[in-house]
Amino acid sequence: MKNKKIAALAIAIVLTANMALPAFAAENTEQDAPKSTAYLVSYSQIEQIVLDNNLQVENNELTLDNLMEEDELKKQYERISDSIDQTSATLAAVIGNASATQDLKTVAAGTSAALAVLKTLFASQEDASEDTINLTELQIKQANNQLVKAAQSLFSTYHQLQYNLESLKNNRTALEDSVRAAQVRYQLGAGTAAAVEDAEASLATLNKNITDLQNQSLSIKYQMNQLLGHQYNDQIVFGKMPDPDIKYVETIQLQDDIAEAQKASYKIQITKLQRSILNEDTHQEKDKRKAKSNDIDAEIQKISASMATQLDTIKQQQAALALEQKNLDIAKRKWDQAVQQYELGVISSITLNQLKSNYLNQEIIVKTAKSTLFWNIESYRWLVKGLPAS
């Protein structure tokens, strides 16, 4: 179709006045420099990296560029068509002029027929309408932002997996102590073989869970590499998990944010455009327009409920984080006391290790709570920018 349009455009240039057409830049065939397979990514970099390097984003942009080019060709057709109309009117005057020679009339009639064929060719072109271009542009922006959000979510999920791994590795020390204690009791005749087997089975299960989490972490790295435009097995290093933006939460004005989210909603904007494309010429078309209007009203209500719910979740998680931080202070105090008691010979190494494990696990619980709160604040921000919560 595109070649057909270009050919038609070339014929039009010959038959009408000289019209300058915009020159299209040639594709850049220069090869990019090879990328390093080891790289660090921080949370703040994710959005720009995805938009710059993700292959799906690039394809989306190429699709939009093609539509814009189609639209530019259509505008050229319209300008040339106007020129054809003016030329045809002049030729009709020549043909109808009694004083014009027959040769001139014959040439005018032939030219007029050629222009009529060309105009019919223009009319047959399947060009994208402005509504179609706007609709595609919105859908592409939505898709690109969803890719950014997905990458950001993977960053948060990766860190939560690492916290879980830390917790399991801390618990492994206590389980290893339990296995050794069960073995000693059994050797001394104070324990049973079943107790040893149970302790060893618990340790084996924990080691399996550690391996599973390590495999999940590797899978997330593969996915993140692809979202960032890298080879799936490139060596990616995740930067530090940011702290939750409490100052942002304190400035939230729910009703203002709801209004902004409803205006920015890609789903609402897309549905409105889809509705505008429909006409009211038939009963069926009217029903479709009504259905679209109902969809818009439903989405407006859904956004209001989603944002109120999301803010409630943030508030609850803030309270939970404050509680876990207090528990961390208590665990830290008990651990400090245990170190002193162990040095004085008051408690055993097993008790010391258990209190250390409790403290380290509580530290991980706090980090996990911070990470969860951080991502829910980010999800709220995405709601405000027009993406749904899920």
Side-chain angles (χ1 to χ4, degrees), residues 35 39 41-61 140-155 223-230 236 382:
K35 298 177 181 177
Y39 68 102
V41 60
S42 66
Y43 184 86
S44 62
Q45 296 174 312
I46 290 175
E47 180 172 5
Q48 198 58 53
I49 294 176
V50 171
L51 295 179
D52 287 345
N53 299 332
N54 182 273
L55 293 179
Q56 185 58 52
V57 170
E58 182 177 348
N59 285 341
N60 291 344
E61 297 301 327
I140 285 174
K141 286 181 178 179
Q142 181 186 34
N144 291 351
N145 279 329
Q146 285 171 332
L147 289 169
V148 171
K149 185 181 177 184
Q152 291 176 341
S153 177
L154 281 179
F155 187 96
Q223 294 175 60
M224 182 65 94
N225 274 328
Q226 290 176 302
L227 284 169
L228 299 181
H230 285 256
I236 180 173
W382 275 114

Side-chain angles (χ1 to χ4, degrees), residues 350-365:
I350 292 178
T351 302
L352 178 68
N353 287 338
Q354 183 60 58
L355 289 170
K356 179 182 179 181
S357 179
N358 292 345
Y359 166 60
L360 293 177
N361 281 336
Q362 186 58 38
E363 201 171 41
I364 293 168
I365 288 172

Side-chain angles (χ1 to χ4, degrees), residues 131 271-297:
D131 283 339
T271 307
K272 283 183 176 179
L273 265 176
Q274 290 172 335
R275 183 182 62 182
S276 70
I277 294 172
L278 298 168
N279 56 53
E280 295 188 355
D281 293 342
T282 66
H283 181 72
Q284 186 179 23
E285 292 288 285
K286 288 180 180 179
D287 286 347
K288 288 181 180 179
R289 285 180 62 88
K290 178 61 177 176
K292 293 293 182 185
S293 296
N294 290 341
D295 289 343
I296 292 168
D297 292 341

